[in-house]
Amino acid sequence: MAKQTPTVLGVLTQPARPTGWKANRHKVLLVLGLLVGYWIGTHVHGTAPQQQAPQPVSTAPAPAAPDPHRTPTGLGLAP
């Protein structure tokens, strides 16, 4: 049995160094996205103002005399 010589399928070479854009494009796009997001958040005023909820109104008249339990005599503070 004769020994076969290996066949060359291809030659491996070291890839070329990436250019400045390819090496840093993720950083540039991140900064641009943050700036656009900030601009949208601070300069777009398309939201409608929120309405105030109506305050509850009492229809009962105010008491004419003070509550006897809240007077100094009712609390036991009078001499």
Side-chain angles (χ1 to χ4, degrees):
M1 189 150 116
K3 200 172 196 182
Q4 292 182 351
T5 59
T7 57
V8 177
L9 297 176
V11 178
L12 295 177
T13 59
Q14 193 172 17
R17 291 183 53 107
T19 61
W21 168 249
K22 284 187 178 181
N24 297 312
R25 64 183 169 198
H26 62 283
K27 296 175 188 175
V28 172
L29 294 175
L30 173 69
V31 170
L32 284 176
L34 290 173
L35 289 174
V36 168
Y38 176 77
W39 182 81
I40 288 173
T42 58
H43 292 91
V44 177
H45 301 289
T47 60
Q50 294 184 357
Q51 295 180 354
Q52 293 284 338
Q55 298 294 327
V57 178
S58 175
T59 57
D67 187 10
H69 299 287
R70 299 296 298 167
T71 60
T73 356
L75 294 174
L77 299 176

